[in-house]
Amino acid sequence: MKNNKLLLDDIRDIEMVISYKKDPEYSQGEWDLVKNYSEFVDYILTNGLPQLISFDHDLADEHYTPSEYWDDYDLSKEYQDGKSYREKTGNDCAKWLVEYCLDNKHPLPKCLVHSMNPVGADYIKKTLSDYYNTVTQL
């Protein structure tokens, strides 16, 4: 596992994430940035697993939930669950990472979620949690 950090986000850079995530983990060390699924996979296959990954969920315009759903988690979830995306989300990246770690017998790096989409953030957290449940059952 490399001694670097990886930020997955299509729009924000680390300074923008630091400004709203008051977690000191974000302000320490150097971060590499990838903006989509393809860059995420290529980065790990080329550089190995980083020590830490922070996930955004919405990585393309089609992923963004209309503002009329922002104040109602259940309506937002219903809207997002009804969508079929062409572009892969941050949760797709998390799923790929889990499979990669399981297939290659690597421990999952430390993972954070900085997505401002609460439904998408929950999907990523569940994917990562499922990894730990799987590993403890092996």
Side-chain angles (χ1 to χ4, degrees):
M1 200 170 303
K2 302 282 185 195
N3 192 25
N4 59 335
K5 297 179 179 186
L6 183 61
L7 183 74
L8 171 66
D9 201 300
D10 62 321
I11 295 175
R12 292 178 290 267
D13 60 22
I14 191 58
E15 289 78 23
M16 294 170 80
V17 174
I18 289 169
S19 72
Y20 74 89
K21 294 293 281 187
K22 303 303 181 194
D23 184 336
E25 190 81 60
Y26 287 101
S27 58
Q28 300 170 359
E30 296 293 320
W31 287 83
D32 294 323
L33 174 66
V34 293
K35 296 181 178 246
N36 58 46
Y37 179 88
S38 178
E39 288 181 14
F40 181 83
V41 171
D42 289 346
Y43 179 93
I44 292 173
L45 293 177
T46 301
N47 300 294
L49 290 169
Q51 71 173 7
L52 180 122
I53 301 171
S54 187
F55 290 87
D56 182 25
H57 180 269
D58 302 342
L59 302 177
D61 288 345
E62 70 177 328
H63 301 151
Y64 292 101
T65 304
S67 59
E68 61 264 26
Y69 299 107
W70 289 358
D71 293 331
D72 188 320
Y73 182 92
D74 292 330
L75 280 178
S76 181
K77 184 172 183 343
E78 183 179 326
Y79 172 83
Q80 291 178 56
D81 286 347
K83 297 292 288 181
S84 176
Y85 299 124
R86 287 177 288 118
E87 299 291 329
K88 294 188 183 254
T89 67
N91 191 42
D92 293 309
C93 293
K95 289 176 182 178
W96 180 89
L97 176 67
V98 163
E99 289 302 315
Y100 176 83
C101 289
L102 289 171
D103 290 348
N104 293 285
K105 297 179 176 45
H106 293 304
L108 195 68
K110 182 174 182 179
C111 294
L112 302 172
V113 179
H114 67 270
S115 180
M116 294 178 104
N117 174 344
V119 174
D122 284 348
Y123 291 150
I124 295 168
K125 290 173 187 173
K126 170 133 181 27
T127 296
L128 299 172
S129 174
D130 287 350
Y131 165 86
Y132 291 109
N133 292 336
T134 299
V135 168
T136 58
Q137 294 175 4
L138 295 179

